[in-house]
Amino acid sequence: RWTFPACILALLTVGCQQGAPGGAPAPLTTIAQVRAVKPADAERGYPVRLTGVVTYYHGASRTLVVQSEGNGILVDTGKIQLDLTPGREVDIEGTTGLGASSVIVLASKLTDLRAAALPATERISIEGLSSGAYTDRRVEASGVVRSGIRDNDGRLTLNVATIDGTFQARVNSRAGAGFSDSLIDSRV
């Protein structure tokens, strides 16, 4: 008689265990796990500990993108002073948060580990760009520059046309380098 309720209690106990002592959830350790968090739950601040390769960093906006195992994630480094370049393997500690369009990592600690190879780019269409499937991943797209502007944060935004539509490319540039009209009608 006691076997059935004891089994249920044992299953409930195992199913409800937290990943760390004191009831705190275990850290999310892959980008796929972070990206699987529902946007409605992102602001709960689930703990994160990731290792990945820097594919993009813009110091003025404290915007970092890392990639690992074919997935990419945006990392808000607003609380950390950094000097990073693409092609560095980093260890990131922080919590989940909600960005403008997806779940992001709010970094509280970042350790620069070593030089690393950048992930390969994947050539995609305008349809692929707009699908969201390649968010925060290194991709390759081509087209013709139709216009551009230097943004307040120092980056260039290029409006690029293809046969199938248009997209914007954000480009980090040297301090003092402005948009050049010589880029208009250039194939990039």
Side-chain angles (χ1 to χ4, degrees):
R1 282 184 150 169
W2 294 100
T3 305
F4 182 72
C7 288
I8 291 175
L9 180 59
L11 288 173
L12 289 174
T13 303
V14 169
C16 295
Q17 284 180 343
Q18 299 297 321
L28 303 173
T29 58
T30 68
I31 292 171
Q33 288 174 331
V34 175
R35 293 189 71 79
V37 173
K38 294 179 182 161
D41 295 332
E43 291 183 337
R44 291 183 179 180
Y46 294 112
V48 174
R49 177 143 190 189
L50 301 172
T51 299
V53 176
V54 174
T55 58
Y56 177 85
Y57 180 66
H58 183 254
S61 65
R62 307 244 173 135
T63 303
L64 171 68
V65 177
V66 297
Q67 210 170 311
S68 178
E69 300 174 357
N71 293 303
I73 193 83
L74 179 73
V75 180
D76 180 336
T77 63
K79 297 179 180 180
I80 304 171
Q81 293 284 55
L82 298 173
D83 185 23
L84 284 175
T85 57
R88 300 296 302 174
E89 184 175 24
V90 294
D91 187 56
I92 302 163
E93 293 181 36
T95 58
T96 58
L98 188 58
S101 61
S102 62
V103 177
I104 65 171
V105 174
L106 304 172
S108 57
K109 181 180 177 186
L110 190 137
T111 305
D112 186 353
L113 301 173
R114 66 188 65 85
L118 284 168
T121 59
E122 185 174 342
R123 187 160 180 74
I124 61 171
S125 66
I126 194 97
E127 184 179 319
L129 278 174
S130 61
S131 72
Y134 296 92
T135 300
D136 300 321
R137 289 172 46 193
R138 287 188 77 218
V139 296
E140 181 180 332
S142 61
V144 177
V145 176
R146 293 299 179 207
S147 64
I149 189 167
R150 179 181 264 306
D151 298 320
N152 290 335
D153 61 11
R155 293 179 279 191
L156 297 177
T157 298
L158 302 177
N159 294 304
V160 182
T162 72
I163 291 173
D164 299 319
T166 61
F167 65 91
Q168 289 188 329
R170 303 280 314 265
V171 181
N172 286 352
S173 62
R174 299 184 316 308
F179 175 73
S180 171
D181 287 339
S182 65
L183 288 174
I184 300 293
D185 293 330
S186 296
R187 186 162 216 21
V188 294

